[in-house]
Amino acid sequence: MQPTQVPLLSKLKSYWELPRDFFSVKEQVMKPMAIPTFQPRLKVLSREQGLAIHTAALEILEKTGFKMEHPGALELLADAGCEVSNGDWVKLPSYLVEESLKSAPSQIALYDQQGNETMPLVNGNHFYGTGSDATFTLDLETGQRRRTVLNDAANFAKLVDGLENISFAMSMANPEDAPIEDIYGYAFAEMVKNTNKPLVFIADSGRDIAKIYEIACLVAGGEEELQKKPFLLNYSEAISPLRFPQNVMERLIFCAEKRIPVCFPSGSNAGGGAPVTLAGAMALGIAENLGGLVVHQLVGKGSPFLFGPNVSVLDMKSTVVSYGCPEWSLTQAALADMRDEIYGLPIWAYAGASDAKVMDAQAGAEAMFSIITAMLSRSNLIHDVGFLEYGSTSSLEMVTLANELVAMSRFFIEGIPVNEETLALEAIERVASGGPGSIFLMDDHTFEHFMQAQFLPKLLDRSRYDSWVEAGAMDLYKRCNIEAKRILSEHQVEPKPDEVLKDIDRILEGR
Amino acid sequence: MSEFKTLSETVIKGDINKAVAETQKAIDAGSDVQAIIDDGLIAAMDEVGESFSKGLIFVPQMLRSAKTMQECMKVLEPLIQEGDVASKGKVLIGTVKGDLHDIGKNLVSMMMEGAGFMVTDLGVDVTPEKFVQKAQEVEPDIVAMSALLSTTMPAMPQTIEALQKAGIRNKVKVMIGGAPVTSKYAQEIKADSYAADAGSAVVEAKKLLGTS
């Protein structure tokens, strides 16, 4: 229906020049506004609770203090107004925290290695990725748990490159065959060679982070280009409770200076490095995070800092730090609420991991629990996807499964669009009052909409029993194994230029 | 054994006040100090250790029992003559050079003490030289090393070499542990034993020294 031409009233000489149907109701009724789709969001903490935890964190920094083992950072803190006692025990006044929260950027843009902005860390944007140094991995061929090697870092990176819902790569390996002084550099190089997605990396000290940085500049085409479009984020952590080692601070300071995005999540695990009650564990972890943030902003005001601690639990029977517990999902959901109420900085989180030793129902249950809650909380950068055995073993099958679990969660949080098309009244009329044989399956409306209207699983199996048996009666682990193998053999990673690859080796070998 | 049943029960329950009172009672009654320790305290801790291995009790409860035993030992200390009390063995423990993580090591220390070993804990960031120096001083049966980072693991073979150079490698058993450490690595660096957690550490220590 063409809209009536409404003439400019100012150009009219008389009322009678208006088109006859100018005042006709049909054309002049405003179209109803589209009903916005509500997208489920999980809230676990009130503003009051968040403020109390934040205040407790400030009190820890001001009254208890922390151990700063980096002399340069110690001096900076003292000059900025901190009280220093016993050589290296620092007490930090709250105003320094407030200032650094203000100067830290409220958004961090991460790019892929080809300069595309693929991970804008801001608001409710959420991105999933793998985890770092796993000592073991599940062998893709034998299913056996074995030590990781460099080739595993390569394979995990390639798999991430080929999975549409996994946005960044971490090493997933503590490679046994890499020279130990440069283990993190070698792991980083494997990632660079096997994916173009953004990378989250770890390092040991100022020495090897400089090497990794050199490689990154090479890939980006220069220091300036890397700063403008960073494709990497460093993961460093203080030691709970309240200890800031020298080599850790070297990395934090390096990142602040070079404006490399960094996160600083100490493992303030309830009952381990932190009190067993979750509020206290959060307060301690946040205090340690804020302590790092203050130094970070003093060194590089405005440098990007991804906020948040890792608050899991120390299991009270096995003394492992749990990667499948509901507590970690709960504390990071609480942190997300605190981000929205207080901090305004993008946050770090975890998901898609398990304490199970094999990829069984426990692995699936625990992975899904953390994946969906992280998304419901809108955590921004969500790592550790694909971990088994409380982070000690990496699994290609788990990463492959998680890709689908993320998609399933995403479908859920996108909500239910309600509009003329989706209410489908015309289709209902057609099918209900149509002749015999009239079914929705045959209707145009279904044909046009089914691919967007439904979640279409690939690995989660819904086939009829007999077809399932005929196809080999395979369980999910087996199906994910086959899919991971397929991706690794078929997926093409856009390769880096030869000169870049040669230079990477040169830097690693120290030539 | 039944002579100290009440004492043992207070240790198992982790009731420090009652345990200390029972210990004092036993002393006042003229009981043999070694018997109090072996049949009252260590027997209790052996039971605690077993319950723990079976997953029947939690770590904080196990540690509370260990602490209870420590408090009882404090009461007995003035009565112990040098060299009188036979311990299960002497353990020298530390987290290796460059590594500051200590939760696991502390758990191992406490469990070893609870099991009747005498533990000297060097803390964290312990250089090979420090291990050697203290080993020469204390003359332990076991030297135990912990590391949480793969980058600090090389300090383990370095420490073993330092023990070798000092001529005392064959006088001690070396046990290693920590998240990235594996039994394969222990074999590679020619350590004597590897333990995956605090409970196993006690079991392994007893094996190494041929005690129970």
Side-chain angles (χ1 to χ4, degrees):
Chain A
M1 193 172 18
Q2 291 284 10
T4 310
Q5 291 268 57
V6 178
L8 260 182
L9 290 177
S10 54
K11 293 237 152 82
L12 292 176
K13 296 193 184 82
S14 81
Y15 168 87
W16 302 109
E17 283 181 22
L18 286 167
R20 291 190 56 192
D21 54 6
F22 183 73
F23 293 107
S24 136
V25 173
K26 248 203 282 194
E27 276 88 28
Q28 295 313 307
V29 165
M30 284 199 299
K31 272 215 164 103
M33 280 185 71
I35 301 171
T37 306
F38 181 80
Q39 291 172 332
R41 167 77 170 88
L42 178 71
K43 188 176 163 73
V44 303
L45 207 70
S46 69
R47 179 174 166 77
E48 206 181 327
Q49 285 168 286
L51 281 171
I53 293 174
H54 174 66
T55 312
L58 295 178
E59 192 172 323
I60 292 168
L61 290 169
E62 234 181 60
K63 303 240 176 79
T64 304
F66 52 91
K67 193 169 205 274
M68 177 50 70
E69 295 172 2
H70 186 285
L74 187 64
E75 207 181 310
L76 267 177
L77 289 167
D79 289 343
C82 292
E83 181 195 311
V84 179
S85 56
N86 287 343
D88 58 5
W89 197 263
V90 178
K91 291 196 178 148
L92 193 124
S94 301
Y95 70 82
L96 284 179
V97 171
E98 309 295 337
E99 278 169 17
S100 59
L101 280 171
K102 258 212 244 139
S103 63
S106 54
Q107 53 183 307
I108 300 173
L110 277 184
Y111 294 75
D112 68 14
Q113 295 173 53
Q114 294 165 323
N116 307 303
E117 188 188 286
T118 57
M119 287 178 55
L121 301 171
V122 66
N123 298 331
N125 294 348
H126 42 274
F127 304 97
Y128 291 79
T130 46
S132 69
D133 49 343
T135 310
F136 299 93
T137 194
L138 289 189
D139 188 276
L140 204 56
E141 296 305 321
T142 67
Q144 290 305 305
R145 170 188 182 262
R146 60 160 174 80
R147 277 301 312 269
T148 40
V149 292
L150 283 167
N151 198 46
D152 296 313
N155 280 338
F156 275 99
K158 186 175 186 190
L159 182 68
V160 164
D161 200 78
L163 287 171
E164 69 273 23
N165 302 312
I166 308 294
S167 309
F168 63 90
M170 293 180 75
S171 70
M172 289 298 250
N174 218 5
E176 196 184 34
D177 52 350
I180 208 154
E181 328 78 55
D182 282 306
I183 191 173
Y184 303 127
Y186 276 87
F188 184 78
E190 288 305 313
M191 292 197 286
V192 160
K193 291 176 188 173
N194 290 279
T195 181
N196 288 305
K197 289 195 178 174
L199 305 175
V200 175
F201 73 100
I202 61 173
D204 176 51
S205 67
R207 188 193 60 87
D208 63 342
I209 202 175
K211 253 192 192 175
I212 290 171
Y213 177 69
E214 209 187 326
I215 295 174
C217 289
L218 185 67
V219 171
E223 226 179 330
E224 219 183 290
E225 285 76 3
L226 184 66
Q227 263 191 30
K228 262 196 272 190
K229 298 186 170 185
F231 66 81
L232 75 179
L233 185 140
N234 173 249
Y235 170 9
S236 288
E237 44 178 75
I239 298 182
S240 302
L242 299 165
R243 187 159 187 179
F244 292 72
Q246 173 155 356
N247 64 323
V248 170
M249 295 310 293
E250 279 174 14
R251 285 139 42 192
L252 184 67
I253 288 168
F254 184 90
C255 291
E257 282 169 352
K258 302 289 186 186
R259 301 224 184 273
I260 300 173
V262 68
C263 66
F264 200 66
S266 46
S268 55
N269 300 301
V276 79
T277 43
L278 297 182
M282 282 191 70
L284 179 61
I286 288 171
E288 289 159 350
N289 215 242
L290 292 171
L293 176 64
V294 168
V295 174
H296 182 265
Q297 291 295 299
L298 284 173
V299 170
K301 188 172 181 179
S303 284
F305 188 97
L306 184 68
F307 194 74
N310 285 328
V311 188
S312 179
V313 301
L314 190 80
D315 185 82
M316 293 283 115
K317 278 196 184 156
S318 65
T319 69
V320 304
V321 174
S322 173
Y323 276 63
C325 61
E327 293 90 337
W328 197 345
S329 293
L330 182 57
T331 57
Q332 65 184 23
L335 181 73
D337 289 339
M338 289 175 75
R339 169 200 55 197
D340 296 344
E341 298 275 9
I342 305 168
Y343 298 120
L345 300 179
I347 55 175
W348 163 263
Y350 104 112
S354 171
D355 297 325
K357 271 47 82 182
V358 291
M359 188 171 148
D360 60 5
Q362 176 181 348
E366 290 177 348
M368 189 45 160
F369 190 100
S370 48
I371 286 175
I372 184 124
T373 51
M375 196 183 285
L376 283 165
S377 303
R378 307 292 192 273
S379 298
N380 301 115
L381 191 146
I382 307 164
H383 83 302
D384 279 350
V385 167
F387 270 169
L388 290 172
E389 198 199 327
Y390 40 84
S392 300
T393 296
S394 56
S395 161
L396 292 156
E397 295 90 350
M398 278 291 278
V399 180
T400 308
L401 171 64
N403 185 62
E404 185 142 320
L405 298 181
V406 167
M408 188 170 165
S409 306
R410 185 57 180 249
F411 185 89
F412 188 89
I413 70 140
E414 279 181 353
I416 301 179
V418 178
N419 54 54
E420 209 175 301
E421 273 302 302
T422 62
L423 285 168
L425 295 175
E426 286 180 14
I428 293 169
E429 169 85 41
R430 266 199 309 275
V431 173
S433 48
S438 183
I439 52 172
F440 284 103
L441 271 174
M442 291 277 311
D443 195 83
D444 283 347
H445 181 269
T446 307
F447 181 78
E448 277 155 33
H449 292 281
F450 83 93
M451 291 193 93
Q452 290 76 46
Q454 285 196 4
F455 169 67
L456 304 171
K458 293 187 200 147
L459 292 165
L460 298 172
D461 178 274
R462 298 179 185 175
S463 57
R464 298 271 179 180
Y465 184 80
D466 290 338
S467 338
W468 175 75
V469 169
E470 215 182 292
M474 293 188 285
D475 65 6
L476 183 60
Y477 170 60
K478 183 79 194 156
R479 296 197 301 275
C480 291
N481 177 273
I482 291 172
E483 176 64 1
K485 283 175 177 157
R486 184 194 69 76
I487 295 173
L488 286 177
S489 77
E490 288 175 16
H491 177 68
Q492 303 285 341
V493 179
E494 267 191 62
K496 304 282 193 305
D498 276 332
E499 318 87 64
V500 170
L501 294 175
K502 277 209 202 86
D503 273 335
I504 290 175
D505 289 335
R506 180 185 54 78
I507 294 170
L508 281 178
E509 288 154 27
R511 293 185 268 118
Chain B
M1 195 91 90
S2 57
E3 196 188 336
F4 305 108
K5 185 160 175 271
T6 318
L7 172 60
S8 293
E9 268 165 21
T10 57
V11 172
I12 290 169
K13 284 215 187 86
D15 191 333
I16 296 178
N17 292 333
K18 285 217 183 98
V20 166
E22 282 296 319
T23 306
Q24 193 59 54
K25 243 179 33 193
I27 294 170
D28 295 340
S31 301
D32 172 49
V33 169
Q34 187 70 54
I36 299 175
I37 294 173
D38 287 343
D39 302 336
L41 302 179
I42 294 183
M45 284 309 296
D46 281 344
E47 228 186 275
V48 168
E50 216 190 297
S51 296
F52 180 67
S53 304
K54 288 194 187 138
L56 297 171
I57 61 168
F58 295 92
V59 168
Q61 293 162 329
M62 185 271 297
L63 290 174
R64 170 59 66 128
S65 292
K67 186 169 180 193
T68 306
M69 175 172 161
Q70 279 180 346
E71 293 299 313
C72 296
M73 289 299 292
K74 282 189 191 153
V75 175
L76 292 164
E77 226 121 80
L79 305 169
I80 298 172
Q81 305 291 346
E82 183 71 47
D84 258 5
V85 170
S87 77
K88 287 250 162 64
K90 282 192 272 185
V91 178
L92 181 65
I93 192 170
T95 299
V96 297
K97 170 163 164 268
D99 203 317
L100 304 176
H101 296 91
D102 64 357
I103 293 179
K105 169 190 72 65
N106 292 347
L107 278 173
V108 171
S109 289
M110 294 221 57
M111 290 209 70
M112 294 270 203
E113 268 184 1
F117 290 89
M118 264 184 59
V119 179
T120 307
D121 190 336
L122 289 169
V124 297
D125 194 14
V126 182
T127 60
E129 296 74 41
K130 187 85 197 286
F131 267 112
V132 167
Q133 183 220 340
K134 204 68 181 178
Q136 286 167 329
E137 190 189 310
V138 162
E139 290 180 352
D141 302 291
I142 294 176
V143 172
M145 297 187 279
S146 171
L148 195 81
L149 306 171
S150 46
T151 44
T152 57
M153 276 164 62
M156 288 181 173
Q158 283 167 19
T159 304
I160 291 177
E161 208 192 303
L163 290 168
Q164 184 87 20
K165 284 215 176 91
I168 54 173
R169 173 65 184 95
N170 54 353
K171 298 211 178 106
V172 302
K173 298 286 182 197
V174 174
M175 186 191 298
I176 62 175
V181 180
T182 59
S183 63
K184 184 168 160 225
Y185 184 71
Q187 281 165 34
E188 271 170 36
I189 67 168
K190 301 208 175 46
D192 298 298
S193 183
Y194 157 81
D197 54 52
S200 317
V202 171
V203 172
E204 286 302 311
K206 287 179 179 174
K207 262 196 217 153
L208 281 177
L209 303 184
T211 62
S212 62

